[in-house]
Amino acid sequence: MNDIQKNLLLYMTKCVAAAGLIFYFSDVFHYSDIVWCLISAILVLSPNAKEALPLALTRVAANFVGSAAILLCLLLGGLPHIVTISLAYCLAISACYLFDLMTASRSALAATTIIMLAPANEAHIWDKPLERVVSVAAGCVVGLAVTLIIHRRIPGAEKAVADDPTE
């Protein structure tokens, strides 16, 4: 098996393992809205074995930056959605730049969008956005855990090539 095939197999394994863990934990914790966990986990995973761990860590940090940006903007309250999301995008991009996370800024913007699109309940306006933050965080943790387990435990996984055409 060549290095590209190993990368593809490892990437498939990581994606399937992350999905399996999310479905398992959703059953254990009786949580049915797992789509955001799945999306966040997949955003953390990398098909390139050589850079999997550093990229996963960067993407997790960027997801937390995006989550914080939208929550700060939601605190302003009463603004039109386009203004809130625009401010959050600008804040997330600026924070990614300041924290040297620009390579993962799309993950930050994805987290911002996921949280912003949570339907608001007038009586409990923070319920859905905070639930989405927890979903994004849970997905990130699962993606990072899968990356750590696979790239620390499988012999040769860390030696796969960097020129992977799947990235």
Side-chain angles (χ1 to χ4, degrees):
M1 184 178 311
N2 67 31
D3 287 337
I4 292 174
Q5 291 169 328
K6 285 180 190 175
N7 270 343
L8 289 173
L9 185 59
L10 284 172
Y11 189 46
M12 289 179 206
T13 302
K14 290 187 290 188
C15 290
V16 170
L21 283 171
I22 289 168
F23 275 93
Y24 172 75
F25 286 129
S26 71
D27 189 47
V28 168
F29 294 110
H30 308 291
Y31 183 70
S32 60
D33 193 19
I34 63 169
V35 67
W36 308 113
C37 297
L38 289 167
I39 290 170
S40 297
I42 297 305
L43 284 172
V44 167
L45 301 174
S46 171
N48 189 327
K50 187 174 184 177
E51 64 184 23
L53 187 55
L55 193 54
L57 291 168
T58 302
R59 288 178 178 169
V60 167
N63 272 287
F64 286 112
V65 163
S67 298
I70 191 62
L71 288 179
L72 286 173
C73 292
L74 286 172
L75 282 174
L76 300 173
L79 297 174
H81 286 332
I82 185 65
V83 173
T84 304
I85 197 83
S86 297
L87 286 172
Y89 284 167
C90 292
L91 184 59
I93 291 168
S94 298
C96 283
Y97 176 76
L98 290 172
F99 296 125
D100 196 26
L101 298 170
M102 286 305 290
T103 57
S105 60
R106 287 183 297 176
S107 292
L109 297 177
T112 301
T113 305
I114 289 168
I115 295 161
M116 178 63 195
L117 294 178
N121 179 343
E122 292 300 321
H124 304 284
I125 198 157
W126 285 96
D127 285 357
K128 279 296 182 184
L130 290 175
E131 184 180 317
R132 293 273 173 97
V133 168
V134 171
S135 293
V136 167
C140 288
V141 168
V142 168
L144 181 59
V146 166
T147 299
L148 284 169
I149 290 167
I150 287 179
H151 290 283
R152 302 278 179 166
R153 300 277 189 246
I154 296 177
E158 67 281 348
K159 295 178 186 169
V161 294
D163 316 337
D164 187 354
T166 61
E167 186 65 77

